[in-house]
Amino acid sequence: MSDPGGIALYVHVPFCRKKCDYCDFFSVGSDTCAGYASLRDDYVSSVLNEVSFSARNYAVSAWNSIYFGGGTPSQLSAAHIERLLQGIAAVAPVAPDAEITLEVNPDDVTESLLAACARAGVNRISMGVQAFDQRALDSVRRGASASSAMRALERLNGCWHGRLSCDLIAGLPRHTAASFEDGVRSLAAFPNVDHISLYTLTVEEGTPLARRIARDEVRWSPEKADRLWLRGRTLLENAGFVQYEVSQFAKAGCQSRHNLAYWQLRDYIGCGAGASGTIYGAAAQNGAPCGTGTRWTNTTDIAAYNAFWRQPVPLACRDLPRQVEALDAPTQEFEYLMMGFRTVQGVSVAAFRARFGKCLAERIGVRDGVFAQWQSRGLACVRRPADRNDVCYALSRRGLLLLNRFLEELL
């Protein structure tokens, strides 16, 4: 059963003009996809049928946030976007203060697209800039150019009145310290950019970039990437952006509400080919552990996805084109810690007890265990939230850089 106060919705749009060499997200390029135009039409219909099924199946009372990710959602037409949001609102009301985000590629940012987004209810744009150094972009065969990103930002600055988030990557091959720092400063200076996701380049196994590095066609240094990220963090903080998660920086009041649902382990519905969703079990009560949750991941076969969802599906149908995983109490507990410690605020003692019926300090070793050891080295700290009756345990500024090591020790 979903949260009676509403739930987050993620819609995966697996279409791109072309895939960048570093990308391991599920997507298909229009340059390699036959029947691309009609495929998008069918896909929108299928997504709306899945959204309707999910809303009924999980008794959704309202959508608290809606996030169109990909892939490249801006590869859909303005009419597609309006149709999707109208259809989503038809099966469950969109909360008056809902955050509605659309990821865009710089090449797709036009005044007509932005006008359609505003009409449909989109109030937050998330654009992948990645870098302003063309040599660095070329090194990973990035489709959108540096000049295209700058033009898109100028257009957004002139005619977009909603929120604006942008992505940057530190440590692309051929990135110089000077060009990277100039790029961070340039992006942070745009007045309507209120949120920046700063990532260190991760070379994922199986990607074209990983193969090119293995063949020594591209030179890349993870140590250099880490150094650039640290410099980028400082520059963003100097520009008024506050780090609130490992890779996320925002101006006051501009955190991503949708992503906070993930980090706080709240229920969310995922629709679309390759999308994942999770409904967690009931909180612990009267000494009983929390209930078993369910996570699903939809098929990445777009043709099979469309074939199944092209018509409305009755609730009695359980043979869905997806993989399903049961989440027992220990799994949920560790995921709660894993996601919570990603955030600067950390994990709340009161929230952990309410959810799992356990003492957080004992679980993480505040007195003489893992947390105590990290705190003695300046890598962990205690934070006091607004509720003075609560306490949060968190990683420090330096500790966040070693998050994976900390989680391994907690296992």
Side-chain angles (χ1 to χ4, degrees), residues 243-244 340-341 343-349 371 375 378-400:
Q243 183 183 20
Y244 69 100
F341 277 110
T343 66
V344 170
Q345 184 64 28
V347 181
S348 156
V349 168
F371 190 89
Q375 188 174 21
L379 300 175
C381 59
V382 179
R383 300 192 188 279
R384 297 281 178 180
D387 180 359
R388 304 304 293 181
N389 295 319
D390 195 10
V391 170
C392 290
Y393 295 109
L395 295 180
S396 68
R397 181 179 170 84
R398 286 194 299 131
L400 279 173

PDB file of all heavy atoms in Angstrom, residues 243-244 340-341 343-349 371 375 378-400:
ATOM      1  N   GLN A 243      26.265  21.663  -0.268  1.00  0.00           N
ATOM      2  CA  GLN A 243      26.229  20.217  -0.501  1.00  0.00           C
ATOM      3  C   GLN A 243      25.235  19.586   0.467  1.00  0.00           C
ATOM      4  O   GLN A 243      25.312  19.799   1.673  1.00  0.00           O
ATOM      5  CB  GLN A 243      27.613  19.596  -0.296  1.00  0.00           C
ATOM      6  CG  GLN A 243      27.658  18.101  -0.600  1.00  0.00           C
ATOM      7  CD  GLN A 243      29.030  17.489  -0.329  1.00  0.00           C
ATOM      8  OE1 GLN A 243      29.841  18.057   0.407  1.00  0.00           O
ATOM      9  NE2 GLN A 243      29.284  16.327  -0.907  1.00  0.00           N
ATOM     10  N   TYR A 244      24.285  18.800  -0.058  1.00  0.00           N
ATOM     11  CA  TYR A 244      23.344  18.113   0.828  1.00  0.00           C
ATOM     12  C   TYR A 244      23.339  16.598   0.618  1.00  0.00           C
ATOM     13  O   TYR A 244      22.694  15.867   1.356  1.00  0.00           O
ATOM     14  CB  TYR A 244      21.929  18.683   0.662  1.00  0.00           C
ATOM     15  CG  TYR A 244      21.236  18.390  -0.645  1.00  0.00           C
ATOM     16  CD1 TYR A 244      20.292  17.369  -0.744  1.00  0.00           C
ATOM     17  CD2 TYR A 244      21.486  19.148  -1.786  1.00  0.00           C
ATOM     18  CE1 TYR A 244      19.633  17.102  -1.933  1.00  0.00           C
ATOM     19  CE2 TYR A 244      20.824  18.892  -2.985  1.00  0.00           C
ATOM     20  CZ  TYR A 244      19.901  17.869  -3.054  1.00  0.00           C
ATOM     21  OH  TYR A 244      19.244  17.604  -4.237  1.00  0.00           O
ATOM     22  N   GLY A 340      20.804   6.900   3.628  1.00  0.00           N
ATOM     23  CA  GLY A 340      20.839   7.996   4.593  1.00  0.00           C
ATOM     24  C   GLY A 340      22.219   8.584   4.769  1.00  0.00           C
ATOM     25  O   GLY A 340      22.373   9.812   4.883  1.00  0.00           O
ATOM     26  N   PHE A 341      23.241   7.736   4.792  1.00  0.00           N
ATOM     27  CA  PHE A 341      24.598   8.234   4.981  1.00  0.00           C
ATOM     28  C   PHE A 341      25.150   8.895   3.720  1.00  0.00           C
ATOM     29  O   PHE A 341      26.228   9.496   3.764  1.00  0.00           O
ATOM     30  CB  PHE A 341      25.526   7.122   5.471  1.00  0.00           C
ATOM     31  CG  PHE A 341      25.453   6.905   6.957  1.00  0.00           C
ATOM     32  CD1 PHE A 341      24.884   5.760   7.482  1.00  0.00           C
ATOM     33  CD2 PHE A 341      25.931   7.864   7.836  1.00  0.00           C
ATOM     34  CE1 PHE A 341      24.806   5.561   8.854  1.00  0.00           C
ATOM     35  CE2 PHE A 341      25.861   7.687   9.199  1.00  0.00           C
ATOM     36  CZ  PHE A 341      25.286   6.528   9.722  1.00  0.00           C
ATOM     37  N   THR A 343      23.614  11.390   2.526  1.00  0.00           N
ATOM     38  CA  THR A 343      23.225  12.777   2.735  1.00  0.00           C
ATOM     39  C   THR A 343      24.065  13.431   3.816  1.00  0.00           C
ATOM     40  O   THR A 343      24.550  12.764   4.742  1.00  0.00           O
ATOM     41  CB  THR A 343      21.743  12.881   3.133  1.00  0.00           C
ATOM     42  OG1 THR A 343      21.534  12.289   4.409  1.00  0.00           O
ATOM     43  CG2 THR A 343      20.867  12.180   2.100  1.00  0.00           C
ATOM     44  N   VAL A 344      24.222  14.730   3.723  1.00  0.00           N
ATOM     45  CA  VAL A 344      24.997  15.471   4.715  1.00  0.00           C
ATOM     46  C   VAL A 344      24.309  15.416   6.076  1.00  0.00           C
ATOM     47  O   VAL A 344      24.974  15.347   7.116  1.00  0.00           O
ATOM     48  CB  VAL A 344      25.191  16.932   4.251  1.00  0.00           C
ATOM     49  CG1 VAL A 344      25.770  17.794   5.367  1.00  0.00           C
ATOM     50  CG2 VAL A 344      26.099  16.978   3.025  1.00  0.00           C
ATOM     51  N   GLN A 345      22.978  15.409   6.080  1.00  0.00           N
ATOM     52  CA  GLN A 345      22.232  15.366   7.335  1.00  0.00           C
ATOM     53  C   GLN A 345      22.418  14.046   8.059  1.00  0.00           C
ATOM     54  O   GLN A 345      22.385  13.982   9.285  1.00  0.00           O
ATOM     55  CB  GLN A 345      20.743  15.611   7.082  1.00  0.00           C
ATOM     56  CG  GLN A 345      19.884  15.693   8.336  1.00  0.00           C
ATOM     57  CD  GLN A 345      20.238  16.881   9.214  1.00  0.00           C
ATOM     58  OE1 GLN A 345      20.717  17.900   8.723  1.00  0.00           O
ATOM     59  NE2 GLN A 345      20.028  16.741  10.516  1.00  0.00           N
ATOM     60  N   GLY A 346      22.600  12.947   7.313  1.00  0.00           N
ATOM     61  CA  GLY A 346      22.806  11.650   7.937  1.00  0.00           C
ATOM     62  C   GLY A 346      21.514  10.934   8.269  1.00  0.00           C
ATOM     63  O   GLY A 346      20.474  11.169   7.651  1.00  0.00           O
ATOM     64  N   VAL A 347      21.562  10.070   9.271  1.00  0.00           N
ATOM     65  CA  VAL A 347      20.445   9.198   9.626  1.00  0.00           C
ATOM     66  C   VAL A 347      19.885   9.602  10.983  1.00  0.00           C
ATOM     67  O   VAL A 347      20.630   9.734  11.961  1.00  0.00           O
ATOM     68  CB  VAL A 347      20.883   7.721   9.647  1.00  0.00           C
ATOM     69  CG1 VAL A 347      19.710   6.812   9.991  1.00  0.00           C
ATOM     70  CG2 VAL A 347      21.475   7.325   8.297  1.00  0.00           C
ATOM     71  N   SER A 348      18.578   9.775  11.038  1.00  0.00           N
ATOM     72  CA  SER A 348      17.893  10.189  12.259  1.00  0.00           C
ATOM     73  C   SER A 348      17.678   9.012  13.203  1.00  0.00           C
ATOM     74  O   SER A 348      17.213   7.954  12.792  1.00  0.00           O
ATOM     75  CB  SER A 348      16.545  10.818  11.898  1.00  0.00           C
ATOM     76  OG  SER A 348      15.627  10.743  12.961  1.00  0.00           O
ATOM     77  N   VAL A 349      17.999   9.235  14.480  1.00  0.00           N
ATOM     78  CA  VAL A 349      17.764   8.217  15.501  1.00  0.00           C
ATOM     79  C   VAL A 349      16.272   7.915  15.619  1.00  0.00           C
ATOM     80  O   VAL A 349      15.847   6.747  15.654  1.00  0.00           O
ATOM     81  CB  VAL A 349      18.327   8.688  16.862  1.00  0.00           C
ATOM     82  CG1 VAL A 349      17.842   7.783  17.997  1.00  0.00           C
ATOM     83  CG2 VAL A 349      19.855   8.715  16.828  1.00  0.00           C
ATOM     84  N   PHE A 371      31.140   3.422  13.859  1.00  0.00           N
ATOM     85  CA  PHE A 371      30.926   4.872  13.876  1.00  0.00           C
ATOM     86  C   PHE A 371      31.901   5.553  14.829  1.00  0.00           C
ATOM     87  O   PHE A 371      32.460   6.618  14.508  1.00  0.00           O
ATOM     88  CB  PHE A 371      29.486   5.200  14.267  1.00  0.00           C
ATOM     89  CG  PHE A 371      29.123   6.646  14.086  1.00  0.00           C
ATOM     90  CD1 PHE A 371      28.612   7.103  12.880  1.00  0.00           C
ATOM     91  CD2 PHE A 371      29.312   7.567  15.115  1.00  0.00           C
ATOM     92  CE1 PHE A 371      28.293   8.442  12.697  1.00  0.00           C
ATOM     93  CE2 PHE A 371      28.994   8.900  14.938  1.00  0.00           C
ATOM     94  CZ  PHE A 371      28.484   9.340  13.728  1.00  0.00           C
ATOM     95  N   GLN A 375      34.421   8.463  13.857  1.00  0.00           N
ATOM     96  CA  GLN A 375      34.316   9.766  14.513  1.00  0.00           C
ATOM     97  C   GLN A 375      35.650  10.169  15.136  1.00  0.00           C
ATOM     98  O   GLN A 375      36.038  11.346  15.082  1.00  0.00           O
ATOM     99  CB  GLN A 375      33.226   9.720  15.589  1.00  0.00           C
ATOM    100  CG  GLN A 375      32.905  11.082  16.206  1.00  0.00           C
ATOM    101  CD  GLN A 375      31.736  11.011  17.160  1.00  0.00           C
ATOM    102  OE1 GLN A 375      31.398   9.944  17.676  1.00  0.00           O
ATOM    103  NE2 GLN A 375      31.107  12.151  17.404  1.00  0.00           N
ATOM    104  N   GLY A 378      37.762  11.906  12.698  1.00  0.00           N
ATOM    105  CA  GLY A 378      37.191  13.099  12.085  1.00  0.00           C
ATOM    106  C   GLY A 378      36.397  12.808  10.822  1.00  0.00           C
ATOM    107  O   GLY A 378      36.132  13.722  10.036  1.00  0.00           O
ATOM    108  N   LEU A 379      35.989  11.548  10.643  1.00  0.00           N
ATOM    109  CA  LEU A 379      35.287  11.150   9.425  1.00  0.00           C
ATOM    110  C   LEU A 379      33.782  11.003   9.635  1.00  0.00           C
ATOM    111  O   LEU A 379      33.042  10.753   8.680  1.00  0.00           O
ATOM    112  CB  LEU A 379      35.855   9.832   8.901  1.00  0.00           C
ATOM    113  CG  LEU A 379      37.348   9.845   8.540  1.00  0.00           C
ATOM    114  CD1 LEU A 379      37.818   8.449   8.156  1.00  0.00           C
ATOM    115  CD2 LEU A 379      37.617  10.836   7.410  1.00  0.00           C
ATOM    116  N   ALA A 380      33.321  11.126  10.868  1.00  0.00           N
ATOM    117  CA  ALA A 380      31.894  11.030  11.180  1.00  0.00           C
ATOM    118  C   ALA A 380      31.579  12.046  12.272  1.00  0.00           C
ATOM    119  O   ALA A 380      32.470  12.509  12.990  1.00  0.00           O
ATOM    120  CB  ALA A 380      31.528   9.615  11.633  1.00  0.00           C
ATOM    121  N   CYS A 381      30.307  12.392  12.375  1.00  0.00           N
ATOM    122  CA  CYS A 381      29.920  13.432  13.332  1.00  0.00           C
ATOM    123  C   CYS A 381      28.469  13.254  13.764  1.00  0.00           C
ATOM    124  O   CYS A 381      27.723  12.464  13.182  1.00  0.00           O
ATOM    125  CB  CYS A 381      30.113  14.824  12.716  1.00  0.00           C
ATOM    126  SG  CYS A 381      29.163  15.089  11.200  1.00  0.00           S
ATOM    127  N   VAL A 382      28.094  13.995  14.789  1.00  0.00           N
ATOM    128  CA  VAL A 382      26.721  14.005  15.288  1.00  0.00           C
ATOM    129  C   VAL A 382      26.108  15.343  14.909  1.00  0.00           C
ATOM    130  O   VAL A 382      26.709  16.398  15.118  1.00  0.00           O
ATOM    131  CB  VAL A 382      26.682  13.814  16.811  1.00  0.00           C
ATOM    132  CG1 VAL A 382      25.245  13.843  17.322  1.00  0.00           C
ATOM    133  CG2 VAL A 382      27.366  12.505  17.205  1.00  0.00           C
ATOM    134  N   ARG A 383      24.911  15.307  14.334  1.00  0.00           N
ATOM    135  CA  ARG A 383      24.226  16.535  13.943  1.00  0.00           C
ATOM    136  C   ARG A 383      22.915  16.660  14.713  1.00  0.00           C
ATOM    137  O   ARG A 383      22.255  15.661  15.006  1.00  0.00           O
ATOM    138  CB  ARG A 383      23.946  16.549  12.437  1.00  0.00           C
ATOM    139  CG  ARG A 383      25.206  16.452  11.577  1.00  0.00           C
ATOM    140  CD  ARG A 383      24.904  16.774  10.124  1.00  0.00           C
ATOM    141  NE  ARG A 383      26.034  16.519   9.270  1.00  0.00           N
ATOM    142  CZ  ARG A 383      27.071  17.338   9.107  1.00  0.00           C
ATOM    143  NH1 ARG A 383      27.081  18.487   9.778  1.00  0.00           N
ATOM    144  NH2 ARG A 383      28.065  17.034   8.298  1.00  0.00           N
ATOM    145  N   ARG A 384      22.536  17.890  15.002  1.00  0.00           N
ATOM    146  CA  ARG A 384      21.282  18.171  15.687  1.00  0.00           C
ATOM    147  C   ARG A 384      20.301  18.773  14.695  1.00  0.00           C
ATOM    148  O   ARG A 384      20.502  19.898  14.226  1.00  0.00           O
ATOM    149  CB  ARG A 384      21.509  19.147  16.842  1.00  0.00           C
ATOM    150  CG  ARG A 384      22.410  18.608  17.931  1.00  0.00           C
ATOM    151  CD  ARG A 384      21.662  17.659  18.843  1.00  0.00           C
ATOM    152  NE  ARG A 384      22.544  17.100  19.882  1.00  0.00           N
ATOM    153  CZ  ARG A 384      22.134  16.244  20.797  1.00  0.00           C
ATOM    154  NH1 ARG A 384      20.871  15.867  20.808  1.00  0.00           N
ATOM    155  NH2 ARG A 384      22.974  15.768  21.698  1.00  0.00           N
ATOM    156  N   PRO A 385      19.238  18.045  14.346  1.00  0.00           N
ATOM    157  CA  PRO A 385      18.238  18.596  13.419  1.00  0.00           C
ATOM    158  C   PRO A 385      17.385  19.648  14.112  1.00  0.00           C
ATOM    159  O   PRO A 385      17.571  19.945  15.298  1.00  0.00           O
ATOM    160  CB  PRO A 385      17.411  17.365  13.034  1.00  0.00           C
ATOM    161  CG  PRO A 385      17.549  16.448  14.210  1.00  0.00           C
ATOM    162  CD  PRO A 385      18.925  16.683  14.766  1.00  0.00           C
ATOM    163  N   ALA A 386      16.450  20.207  13.360  1.00  0.00           N
ATOM    164  CA  ALA A 386      15.578  21.245  13.920  1.00  0.00           C
ATOM    165  C   ALA A 386      14.815  20.730  15.126  1.00  0.00           C
ATOM    166  O   ALA A 386      14.571  21.468  16.086  1.00  0.00           O
ATOM    167  CB  ALA A 386      14.615  21.745  12.842  1.00  0.00           C
ATOM    168  N   ASP A 387      14.428  19.451  15.087  1.00  0.00           N
ATOM    169  CA  ASP A 387      13.769  18.835  16.232  1.00  0.00           C
ATOM    170  C   ASP A 387      14.827  18.521  17.285  1.00  0.00           C
ATOM    171  O   ASP A 387      15.589  17.574  17.158  1.00  0.00           O
ATOM    172  CB  ASP A 387      13.060  17.553  15.788  1.00  0.00           C
ATOM    173  CG  ASP A 387      12.348  16.841  16.943  1.00  0.00           C
ATOM    174  OD1 ASP A 387      12.437  17.344  18.087  1.00  0.00           O
ATOM    175  OD2 ASP A 387      11.717  15.802  16.699  1.00  0.00           O
ATOM    176  N   ARG A 388      14.869  19.320  18.328  1.00  0.00           N
ATOM    177  CA  ARG A 388      15.933  19.186  19.321  1.00  0.00           C
ATOM    178  C   ARG A 388      15.852  17.885  20.112  1.00  0.00           C
ATOM    179  O   ARG A 388      16.755  17.541  20.865  1.00  0.00           O
ATOM    180  CB  ARG A 388      15.904  20.374  20.286  1.00  0.00           C
ATOM    181  CG  ARG A 388      15.997  21.730  19.628  1.00  0.00           C
ATOM    182  CD  ARG A 388      17.243  21.873  18.752  1.00  0.00           C
ATOM    183  NE  ARG A 388      18.472  21.853  19.513  1.00  0.00           N
ATOM    184  CZ  ARG A 388      19.674  21.982  18.997  1.00  0.00           C
ATOM    185  NH1 ARG A 388      19.804  22.109  17.675  1.00  0.00           N
ATOM    186  NH2 ARG A 388      20.764  21.959  19.758  1.00  0.00           N
ATOM    187  N   ASN A 389      14.732  17.162  19.965  1.00  0.00           N
ATOM    188  CA  ASN A 389      14.601  15.882  20.655  1.00  0.00           C
ATOM    189  C   ASN A 389      15.212  14.735  19.858  1.00  0.00           C
ATOM    190  O   ASN A 389      15.189  13.592  20.309  1.00  0.00           O
ATOM    191  CB  ASN A 389      13.120  15.580  20.927  1.00  0.00           C
ATOM    192  CG  ASN A 389      12.497  16.577  21.882  1.00  0.00           C
ATOM    193  OD1 ASN A 389      13.126  16.972  22.866  1.00  0.00           O
ATOM    194  ND2 ASN A 389      11.273  17.002  21.591  1.00  0.00           N
ATOM    195  N   ASP A 390      15.733  15.055  18.695  1.00  0.00           N
ATOM    196  CA  ASP A 390      16.287  14.022  17.820  1.00  0.00           C
ATOM    197  C   ASP A 390      17.794  14.234  17.668  1.00  0.00           C
ATOM    198  O   ASP A 390      18.332  15.304  17.987  1.00  0.00           O
ATOM    199  CB  ASP A 390      15.595  14.079  16.461  1.00  0.00           C
ATOM    200  CG  ASP A 390      15.846  12.835  15.617  1.00  0.00           C
ATOM    201  OD1 ASP A 390      16.392  11.848  16.148  1.00  0.00           O
ATOM    202  OD2 ASP A 390      15.486  12.847  14.426  1.00  0.00           O
ATOM    203  N   VAL A 391      18.457  13.219  17.162  1.00  0.00           N
ATOM    204  CA  VAL A 391      19.890  13.266  16.858  1.00  0.00           C
ATOM    205  C   VAL A 391      20.102  12.566  15.530  1.00  0.00           C
ATOM    206  O   VAL A 391      19.437  11.570  15.234  1.00  0.00           O
ATOM    207  CB  VAL A 391      20.719  12.564  17.962  1.00  0.00           C
ATOM    208  CG1 VAL A 391      22.166  12.398  17.524  1.00  0.00           C
ATOM    209  CG2 VAL A 391      20.658  13.344  19.263  1.00  0.00           C
ATOM    210  N   CYS A 392      21.007  13.078  14.727  1.00  0.00           N
ATOM    211  CA  CYS A 392      21.374  12.418  13.469  1.00  0.00           C
ATOM    212  C   CYS A 392      22.854  12.067  13.500  1.00  0.00           C
ATOM    213  O   CYS A 392      23.692  12.864  13.941  1.00  0.00           O
ATOM    214  CB  CYS A 392      21.099  13.327  12.270  1.00  0.00           C
ATOM    215  SG  CYS A 392      19.351  13.586  11.917  1.00  0.00           S
ATOM    216  N   TYR A 393      23.174  10.866  13.032  1.00  0.00           N
ATOM    217  CA  TYR A 393      24.556  10.446  12.874  1.00  0.00           C
ATOM    218  C   TYR A 393      24.905  10.538  11.386  1.00  0.00           C
ATOM    219  O   TYR A 393      24.143  10.055  10.537  1.00  0.00           O
ATOM    220  CB  TYR A 393      24.762   9.036  13.398  1.00  0.00           C
ATOM    221  CG  TYR A 393      24.535   8.926  14.896  1.00  0.00           C
ATOM    222  CD1 TYR A 393      23.422   8.263  15.408  1.00  0.00           C
ATOM    223  CD2 TYR A 393      25.432   9.520  15.781  1.00  0.00           C
ATOM    224  CE1 TYR A 393      23.214   8.182  16.775  1.00  0.00           C
ATOM    225  CE2 TYR A 393      25.226   9.443  17.150  1.00  0.00           C
ATOM    226  CZ  TYR A 393      24.120   8.773  17.645  1.00  0.00           C
ATOM    227  OH  TYR A 393      23.910   8.706  18.999  1.00  0.00           O
ATOM    228  N   ALA A 394      26.040  11.167  11.103  1.00  0.00           N
ATOM    229  CA  ALA A 394      26.383  11.452   9.703  1.00  0.00           C
ATOM    230  C   ALA A 394      27.875  11.296   9.476  1.00  0.00           C
ATOM    231  O   ALA A 394      28.673  11.258  10.427  1.00  0.00           O
ATOM    232  CB  ALA A 394      25.945  12.880   9.349  1.00  0.00           C
ATOM    233  N   LEU A 395      28.244  11.239   8.204  1.00  0.00           N
ATOM    234  CA  LEU A 395      29.650  11.309   7.833  1.00  0.00           C
ATOM    235  C   LEU A 395      30.042  12.770   7.698  1.00  0.00           C
ATOM    236  O   LEU A 395      29.231  13.616   7.322  1.00  0.00           O
ATOM    237  CB  LEU A 395      29.898  10.569   6.517  1.00  0.00           C
ATOM    238  CG  LEU A 395      29.663   9.061   6.559  1.00  0.00           C
ATOM    239  CD1 LEU A 395      29.944   8.439   5.189  1.00  0.00           C
ATOM    240  CD2 LEU A 395      30.521   8.390   7.629  1.00  0.00           C
ATOM    241  N   SER A 396      31.277  13.061   8.019  1.00  0.00           N
ATOM    242  CA  SER A 396      31.779  14.433   7.919  1.00  0.00           C
ATOM    243  C   SER A 396      32.078  14.768   6.461  1.00  0.00           C
ATOM    244  O   SER A 396      31.925  13.930   5.561  1.00  0.00           O
ATOM    245  CB  SER A 396      33.045  14.585   8.753  1.00  0.00           C
ATOM    246  OG  SER A 396      34.101  13.828   8.176  1.00  0.00           O
ATOM    247  N   ARG A 397      32.528  15.979   6.255  1.00  0.00           N
ATOM    248  CA  ARG A 397      32.884  16.434   4.909  1.00  0.00           C
ATOM    249  C   ARG A 397      33.915  15.508   4.278  1.00  0.00           C
ATOM    250  O   ARG A 397      33.804  15.129   3.108  1.00  0.00           O
ATOM    251  CB  ARG A 397      33.422  17.862   5.023  1.00  0.00           C
ATOM    252  CG  ARG A 397      33.829  18.528   3.726  1.00  0.00           C
ATOM    253  CD  ARG A 397      34.312  19.946   4.048  1.00  0.00           C
ATOM    254  NE  ARG A 397      34.935  20.593   2.922  1.00  0.00           N
ATOM    255  CZ  ARG A 397      34.272  21.241   1.973  1.00  0.00           C
ATOM    256  NH1 ARG A 397      32.957  21.293   2.021  1.00  0.00           N
ATOM    257  NH2 ARG A 397      34.919  21.822   0.982  1.00  0.00           N
ATOM    258  N   ARG A 398      34.924  15.111   5.053  1.00  0.00           N
ATOM    259  CA  ARG A 398      35.935  14.178   4.534  1.00  0.00           C
ATOM    260  C   ARG A 398      35.384  12.761   4.466  1.00  0.00           C
ATOM    261  O   ARG A 398      35.701  11.990   3.553  1.00  0.00           O
ATOM    262  CB  ARG A 398      37.185  14.204   5.416  1.00  0.00           C
ATOM    263  CG  ARG A 398      38.059  15.441   5.251  1.00  0.00           C
ATOM    264  CD  ARG A 398      39.432  15.235   5.884  1.00  0.00           C
ATOM    265  NE  ARG A 398      39.335  14.971   7.315  1.00  0.00           N
ATOM    266  CZ  ARG A 398      39.950  13.963   7.946  1.00  0.00           C
ATOM    267  NH1 ARG A 398      40.693  13.113   7.263  1.00  0.00           N
ATOM    268  NH2 ARG A 398      39.828  13.814   9.248  1.00  0.00           N
ATOM    269  N   GLY A 399      34.547  12.404   5.435  1.00  0.00           N
ATOM    270  CA  GLY A 399      34.016  11.052   5.487  1.00  0.00           C
ATOM    271  C   GLY A 399      33.145  10.696   4.303  1.00  0.00           C
ATOM    272  O   GLY A 399      33.136   9.539   3.852  1.00  0.00           O
ATOM    273  N   LEU A 400      32.411  11.680   3.772  1.00  0.00           N
ATOM    274  CA  LEU A 400      31.554  11.412   2.616  1.00  0.00           C
ATOM    275  C   LEU A 400      32.351  10.912   1.421  1.00  0.00           C
ATOM    276  O   LEU A 400      31.834  10.168   0.586  1.00  0.00           O
ATOM    277  CB  LEU A 400      30.787  12.679   2.225  1.00  0.00           C
ATOM    278  CG  LEU A 400      29.527  13.013   3.040  1.00  0.00           C
ATOM    279  CD1 LEU A 400      28.997  14.377   2.647  1.00  0.00           C
ATOM    280  CD2 LEU A 400      28.458  11.942   2.840  1.00  0.00           C
TER     281      LEU A 400
END
